[in-house]
Amino acid sequence: MKIRYKKPTGCCEGPKDPTSAGSCSSPAASAGSKEPTAATSCCAPIDAPVSKTSCPQPSRTELPKEIKKTDCCQPPQTKLEAEVKKTGCCTPSDQGRPARYKTVSTHLSFSDRLRHIRCRLGAFRLSYKINPGLYAVGRPSDASEVFISANYGLSFDILRSSLAGSDAWILVLDTKGINVWCAAGKGTFGTDEIIRQIGLAGLGKVVTHRRIIVPQLGGPGVSGHEVRRATGFKVVYGPVKASDIKAFVDAGYNATEEMRTIRFNLADRIVLTPMEIRPALKNYALFSLLALITVSITPEGLSYQAAWTYGSRLVMLGGLAVVSGAFITPALLPYIPSRSFAVKGFLTGLATTIPALWLTGWAEILHPMLTFFSMIFFPLASSYIALQFTGSSTYTGISGVKKELRYGVPVYITGAVVSIVAVAAYKLFEWGIL
Amino acid sequence: MMRYLKGVSTLAFDREKCTGCMRCVEVCPHRVFKADGKKAAVTDKDLCMECGACERNCAFGAIKVGAGVGCASALINGMLTGSDPVCGCSTDDSGCC
């Protein structure tokens, strides 16, 4: 809806002097600019058609980065002013203060994308948080849609970039910097937090409709009917993927079966593998150290020859087991026989260890006891690492993982004992005791 | 569509209590529920990953599922420490989630 101003009223008074730019906390004014900025940054020009929320939003170029607060408006002095403010300038919150929100761009900058890569690769993802609260994309009005998001930067960025060209509100919950799906599982992306943030943002005064769009993957934490009972807002579940949001809204809040289904295709799986490899590498480093020390200790003292001949092969086989469990198994997940992740990982481990031992001739170089050890230990290590991928997969449930562990853990313990016995036997042979 | 282990899901649907609001059909990310006449019905229980979204969004108590994290490292940590399995995403850099 467009409205026209006859006169600039309400918040839109020019500054009395250059240093106090009216009531507007425009970026330039707060940055100590000597220019009178209020007339251009805060207010609509006379007789110009303006959208409802145009007043608090200066042009993009004047934004410090992407953030702008909307406290440009004073409480209304006259009835006319009050009317204009209600419709044209400020959105009062529950407390009678103007609702505060920040405007964000739908464009992902180079540094945003760099942050996303760092999130995927490592522990940085735990510190990529944004402030919870209300955000504006484009120039939303009181009829614009409200999307709920988590305060994990990556989740928020994917949502805002999916809203390019739209005018919408984003209400960000405090999920402790965790993505929607995981936070919903914990309950931090949940009913209580939605109710709390709706209250804090004064959402009831920001929009006239009573509808919030919650990502479908937030479902495990959100009780739609409880949110409605507490706030009056109806929860509409959006599609699984933010990239489908526009099509979803355009179709009248109807998601196709495709949009409602969580996928786990090759790209989805590959992008998760760095976070499988990372924790596995810690144990791999420990394994490599122990392997090198164990083979080096000979009756004649520390042997570099043994460290090289045996140790280097064991370390390489160990690396292969990590790749097998943390990368090959996730990547080829649907094509590896069995539904069990532990069995999948074991098969992949066998498929990598056997050629590595026999096609390279390592089986002849290694002591028979070490070859035996390799055949037991590395496929089981691959299996154990692959089992960890249940935490990243989108279709494994707790009952199934419990079942895998019920059968798997005794096998892993037995395998570990046999491996230790094999290494001990190798040492005893080497030392001529057996 | 990928399926996990057979016959392990704890999903239980009580058709008697179902009012046909179809909220479960809307929220299930694995399409376990479908509209069957005026009520919901379970299509294939083995598709269920026990996320619990259906139960939480059923205002009529027609769905019960033992929801929890389907994450091996969380369950192993729970076993070792004797605590409830929690997803490790917010506390350390384990591979979970």
Side-chain angles (χ1 to χ4, degrees):
Chain A
M1 198 182 111
K2 304 270 185 185
I3 57 164
R4 263 175 192 279
Y5 289 111
K6 278 282 181 240
K7 275 186 352 182
T9 50
C11 73
C12 306
E13 285 164 357
K16 301 284 182 291
D17 64 75
T19 46
S20 72
S23 60
C24 299
S25 65
S26 78
S30 55
S33 166
K34 294 280 184 275
E35 295 297 315
T37 52
T40 52
S41 70
C42 172
C43 303
I46 301 171
D47 285 341
V50 288
S51 69
K52 281 186 179 180
T53 53
S54 65
C55 193
Q57 296 178 3
S59 68
R60 280 285 152 70
T61 51
E62 291 170 23
L63 290 176
K65 283 200 157 182
E66 55 192 20
I67 290 162
K68 166 77 178 86
K69 285 187 182 152
T70 56
D71 47 0
C72 75
C73 298
Q74 295 285 334
Q77 303 299 313
T78 67
K79 209 178 164 188
L80 175 68
E81 252 184 49
E83 190 57 36
V84 169
K85 285 192 180 194
K86 211 170 99 189
T87 56
C89 182
C90 291
T91 322
S93 74
D94 286 341
Q95 290 78 35
R97 289 184 286 106
R100 283 166 181 268
Y101 62 86
K102 294 169 183 175
T103 302
V104 288
S105 164
T106 56
H107 173 72
L108 295 182
S109 66
F110 177 73
S111 63
D112 287 335
R113 291 176 196 279
L114 206 63
R115 271 199 293 273
H116 297 175
I117 293 168
R118 289 180 61 199
C119 280
R120 295 295 189 187
L121 289 181
F124 170 72
R125 67 213 181 102
L126 295 176
S127 50
Y128 189 25
K129 295 177 188 175
I130 54 159
N131 289 326
L134 191 63
Y135 291 78
V137 178
R139 300 187 164 220
S141 69
D142 59 4
S144 298
E145 296 304 335
V146 181
F147 294 91
I148 310 293
S149 186
N151 77 327
Y152 178 38
L154 189 55
S155 305
F156 179 73
D157 286 353
I158 291 171
L159 175 61
R160 68 183 168 96
S161 65
S162 301
L163 291 170
S166 306
D167 300 317
W169 301 101
I170 299 177
L171 185 61
V172 174
L173 307 186
D174 184 0
T175 61
K176 317 293 175 202
I178 304 295
N179 69 71
V180 172
W181 180 235
C182 287
K186 287 170 189 282
T188 45
F189 187 102
T191 312
D192 293 346
E193 177 61 10
I194 289 188
I195 294 169
R196 194 175 78 93
Q197 291 293 345
I198 286 177
L200 286 176
L203 195 65
K205 302 280 177 63
V206 175
V207 291
T208 51
H209 63 77
R210 288 293 173 265
R211 177 178 60 240
I212 53 174
I213 299 177
V214 175
Q216 191 187 330
L217 293 187
V222 178
S223 174
H225 51 277
E226 282 175 23
V227 171
R228 185 166 203 177
R229 201 179 302 142
T231 65
F233 278 89
K234 181 182 194 288
V235 169
V236 175
Y237 284 104
V240 166
K241 290 186 85 107
S243 51
D244 290 328
I245 279 174
K246 276 185 153 175
F248 166 81
V249 173
D250 290 347
Y253 312 104
N254 278 316
T256 61
E257 279 294 297
E258 183 77 9
M259 291 182 202
R260 286 255 173 262
T261 311
I262 188 163
R263 303 283 165 190
F264 204 39
N265 60 33
L266 183 65
D268 298 334
R269 298 194 300 270
I270 296 279
V271 79
L272 295 169
T273 56
M275 289 314 301
E276 299 299 315
I277 295 167
R278 261 175 61 96
L281 285 183
K282 280 187 198 158
N283 293 326
Y284 175 56
L286 188 67
F287 162 80
S288 302
L289 191 69
L290 279 177
L292 287 173
I293 291 172
T294 309
V295 297
S296 304
I297 300 171
T298 65
E300 294 82 36
L302 283 179
S303 161
Y304 292 108
Q305 177 66 30
W308 173 248
T309 315
Y310 295 154
S312 67
R313 263 82 183 190
L314 291 179
V315 167
M316 281 190 274
L317 285 166
L320 201 59
V322 171
V323 171
S324 161
F327 185 79
I328 301 177
T329 309
L332 302 179
L333 202 65
Y335 312 107
I336 303 169
S338 172
R339 291 188 180 187
S340 153
F341 279 47
V343 175
K344 281 175 190 283
F346 182 76
L347 294 175
T348 315
L350 275 183
T352 50
T353 306
I354 290 173
L357 278 172
W358 275 277
L359 294 183
T360 57
W362 292 1
E364 278 87 60
I365 298 168
L366 287 173
H367 189 278
M369 271 297 149
L370 286 182
T371 306
F372 175 70
F373 162 84
S374 300
M375 285 301 296
I376 300 287
F377 185 80
F378 295 117
L380 283 178
S382 168
S383 166
Y384 185 82
I385 296 167
L387 188 55
Q388 309 304 310
F389 196 58
T390 51
S392 294
S393 79
T394 60
Y395 70 99
T396 52
I398 186 167
S399 299
V401 177
K402 276 184 177 167
K403 189 178 177 182
E404 293 223 52
L405 289 174
R406 206 160 51 238
Y407 288 93
V409 169
V411 175
Y412 295 136
I413 292 173
T414 311
V417 171
V418 172
S419 301
I420 292 168
V421 169
V423 173
Y426 147 68
K427 281 283 139 188
L428 293 177
F429 275 120
E430 191 187 52
W431 293 357
I433 297 170
L434 275 179
Chain B
M1 181 174 266
M2 283 180 265
R3 281 177 172 77
Y4 197 39
L5 306 186
K6 256 184 215 165
V8 293
S9 172
T10 52
L11 178 68
F13 172 61
D14 184 348
R15 197 174 157 88
E16 287 296 302
K17 288 185 182 167
C18 178
T19 61
C21 73
M22 303 300 170
R23 198 61 149 164
C24 51
V25 179
E26 181 184 355
V27 81
C28 176
H30 286 287
R31 319 315 293 150
V32 173
F33 291 93
K34 63 168 183 189
D36 176 25
K38 287 188 174 167
K39 295 196 174 193
V42 173
T43 55
D44 179 356
K45 219 173 91 171
D46 286 344
L47 286 173
C48 173
M49 65 169 295
E50 300 171 306
C51 71
C54 51
E55 177 178 348
R56 196 172 283 272
N57 282 280
C58 181
F60 311 99
I63 304 171
K64 288 277 174 288
V65 58
V69 287
C71 170
S73 63
L75 288 170
I76 292 168
N77 284 337
M79 277 184 207
L80 293 177
T81 59
S83 55
D84 280 338
V86 281
C87 188
C89 341
S90 60
T91 49
D92 56 34
D93 59 352
S94 78
C96 178
C97 307

